[in-house]
Amino acid sequence: MVLRRFLRDSGHLVRPAIVLLAAMGLFLVVRSAVIPKAFGQYGHYRPGALDAIRARPISFAGQDTCVACHDEQAKVRAAGKHAHVACEACHGPLAKHADDPTANVPKRPEVANLCRRCHEKDAAKPQGFPQVATVEHSAGMACNSCHQPHNPHL
Amino acid sequence: MDISRRDLFTMGGKLLVLASVGASLEQITGAAPPTDAYRMAEHWWGMIIDVDKCIGCGNCARACSRENNVPSGYFRTWVERYEIEEGRPPHVESPNGALDGFPPSKREDVKSFYVPKLCNQCADSPCVQVCPVGATFVSPDGVVLVDETYCLGCRYCVQACPYGCRYLHPDKNTVDKCTLCYHRITKGLTTACCESCPTGARQLVDFKDPKDPVHEFLRHNKVQVLKPYMATQAKVYYKNLDGAVR
């Protein structure tokens, strides 16, 4: 009885209060529906983004992978000046090949451009780096007709 | 039994309040568990760059664009050639981001060198501060990343980056940038650019790994970050960087 009278007397306050509460409730429901569960776990962002970025595919298999199968080339290279040049620095991304070597046989690098990009003489290169004016140096012959790419010493 | 309109409203109100309390409780407790062996808290990634070793071959830029499908005409990493004549502003060029290397320099009479550039993975990054929707952030292991599904494409961050390391992806219309090959480094591989750098001019480093060579490197060399006055806490350290480089 008391409650009922209270409600009747203060109805003009209770009704807007209920509407306000309902609106706030609705806001919270919608908010929790659209914001991913873990949002804010590490900071003001969606932690799921980390997993999504991590799941992107790889194109460069990495040095160690190549060496595991291509023992011969690895040995030759390790003995020469190209020892610290990674396989894929010259051969390009070969993760697909490493996954299935016979289905994805890689093309051999195009020697003319390959060597020149690293070894063309240029004043901006560090002075200690071996560089040649390729046109005069090779006289039109392919670099690998004299140098062996994996161990460039003659 | 009949229900008055008032009763209906009161009941509805109570229900809504209950539902929302429930929903927010779920939000607090529903954190996803860690999924695998890689622990973000144990890493703090960055890079060291030895300018004196860079030969300007552009291997890094090529490797990056192939590893990350960078659209043509845009760069996540690139190489600049500086040519500085005494008393003059430096001449800087980066033809196609060095994707095809550099044509030989004609100038023997000037100071010249190459500088590789990439996202500086700032710990206190302006790009993160300006993002209105939490689409770009510094990960717990110190890499500045973009959440493609949240990015609105408003380009505030593109403008905010002092180093020009962000662009709007022309097809996705979301912002794109260097991820420090986050998909590789979290699997124990190095970045595509470091993998293909022939001289070791750039090296991925983990500041939280006590055995990482970065600690020796920082102790024995004079290093600099780009635009230190921006106070971005950049984590890409350059050795023997010329003062003209911006």
Side-chain angles (χ1 to χ4, degrees), chain A:
Chain A
M1 269 323 280
V2 181
L3 184 69
R4 196 146 267 224
R5 181 170 310 144
F6 172 76
L7 278 180
R8 192 179 62 227
D9 290 350
S10 53
H12 64 296
L13 294 177
V14 173
R15 258 169 281 147
I18 288 175
V19 171
L20 184 70
L21 269 180
M24 277 162 57
L26 190 69
F27 171 75
L28 283 175
V29 169
V30 171
R31 187 177 180 277
S32 65
V34 293
I35 294 184
K37 267 191 198 137
F39 191 94
Q41 188 184 359
Y42 303 121
H44 187 70
Y45 59 92
R46 187 177 65 92
L50 291 167
D51 295 324
I53 294 170
R54 285 183 66 182
R56 291 178 187 167
I58 277 169
S59 332
F60 283 82
Q63 164 72 9
D64 301 344
T65 317
C66 316
V67 168
C69 289
H70 292 284
D71 201 32
E72 190 190 321
Q73 284 82 6
K75 274 206 195 100
V76 174
R77 191 195 51 160
K81 288 273 190 178
H82 280 162
H84 300 294
V85 184
C87 311
E88 284 163 303
C90 291
H91 286 277
L94 287 181
K96 282 210 184 91
H97 163 67
D99 284 345
D100 191 348
T102 42
N104 304 294
V105 181
K107 277 207 229 92
R108 297 199 176 182
E110 201 193 317
V111 176
N113 264 325
L114 180 78
C115 313
R116 194 180 49 74
R117 264 197 302 248
C118 285
H119 287 292
E120 185 68 65
K121 195 165 183 56
D122 183 357
K125 284 199 163 84
Q127 264 164 16
F129 186 79
Q131 41 195 304
V132 291
T134 49
V135 179
E136 292 147 40
H137 176 80
S138 70
M141 286 162 73
C143 309
N144 58 340
S145 58
C146 294
H147 301 278
Q148 209 275 84
H150 295 141
N151 180 353
H153 251 284
L154 307 170

Side-chain angles (χ1 to χ4, degrees), chain B residues 19-147:
Chain B
S20 55
V21 167
S24 40
L25 263 182
E26 198 192 341
Q27 226 184 76
I28 296 164
T29 54
T35 45
D36 62 342
Y38 178 78
R39 289 173 186 278
M40 290 188 283
E42 289 167 9
H43 304 275
W44 191 246
W45 299 108
M47 197 175 278
I48 53 179
I49 295 184
D50 189 342
V51 181
D52 294 338
K53 285 187 181 166
C54 181
I55 60 171
C57 63
N59 256 10
C60 48
R62 274 193 302 282
C64 175
S65 78
R66 295 189 64 179
E67 175 77 27
N68 298 299
N69 293 318
V70 180
S72 83
Y74 296 84
F75 307 97
R76 291 184 179 193
T77 185
W78 65 96
V79 185
E80 293 170 357
R81 179 163 63 195
Y82 275 71
E83 291 177 326
I84 309 171
E85 202 171 337
E86 203 184 312
R88 293 188 166 225
H91 174 72
V92 190
E93 61 182 338
S94 185
N96 199 17
L99 273 188
D100 317 306
F102 284 83
S105 162
K106 306 258 175 347
R107 315 264 333 243
E108 296 276 350
D109 55 334
V110 295
K111 172 163 73 177
S112 56
F113 51 85
Y114 294 107
V115 184
K117 295 266 182 89
L118 75 160
C119 168
N120 287 267
Q121 309 298 347
C122 311
D124 198 1
S125 177
C127 59
V128 171
Q129 288 165 34
V130 300
C131 181
V133 293
T136 188
F137 52 88
V138 183
S139 72
D141 36 4
V143 183
V144 180
L145 297 171
V146 177
D147 184 348

